[in-house]
Amino acid sequence: MKIKKRKIKYATIFFICWFALMVFLVDGVLKFQTLVDYFGSYALVEVSLLLLVILPTLAVYKLTKEQ
């Protein structure tokens, strides 16, 4: 199996930027506790936020083309 370095590089860059944006939005703007109070479940909010970071990162990895 050949490691696709370019795909991993772009997915990692996207992951770091997207994760930083999500942390800023959730901790700074929306306030995490407010989300927990609104949805009523800490686990639901955590899983949703993890999926909002992981799924787009996987999409970037899949859609990046190798040269």
Side-chain angles (χ1 to χ4, degrees):
M1 183 173 114
K2 182 180 175 189
I3 296 176
K4 299 177 182 335
K5 291 181 183 179
R6 182 174 185 216
K7 292 176 82 166
I8 292 172
K9 179 177 80 171
Y10 286 126
T12 303
I13 291 169
F14 177 81
F15 175 80
I16 291 169
C17 293
W18 186 245
F19 184 75
L21 178 67
M22 291 300 290
V23 167
F24 171 73
L25 287 176
V26 171
D27 287 340
V29 177
L30 298 174
K31 306 293 184 208
F32 183 77
Q33 191 59 43
T34 305
L35 290 174
V36 172
D37 293 340
Y38 182 76
F39 290 108
S41 171
Y42 179 83
L44 177 67
V45 174
E46 280 291 320
V47 169
S48 299
L49 292 173
L50 283 172
L51 289 176
L52 280 173
V53 172
I54 292 171
L55 292 178
T57 303
L58 289 174
V60 167
Y61 179 78
K62 292 284 187 187
L63 296 175
T64 302
K65 298 195 187 299
E66 277 296 313
Q67 287 183 345

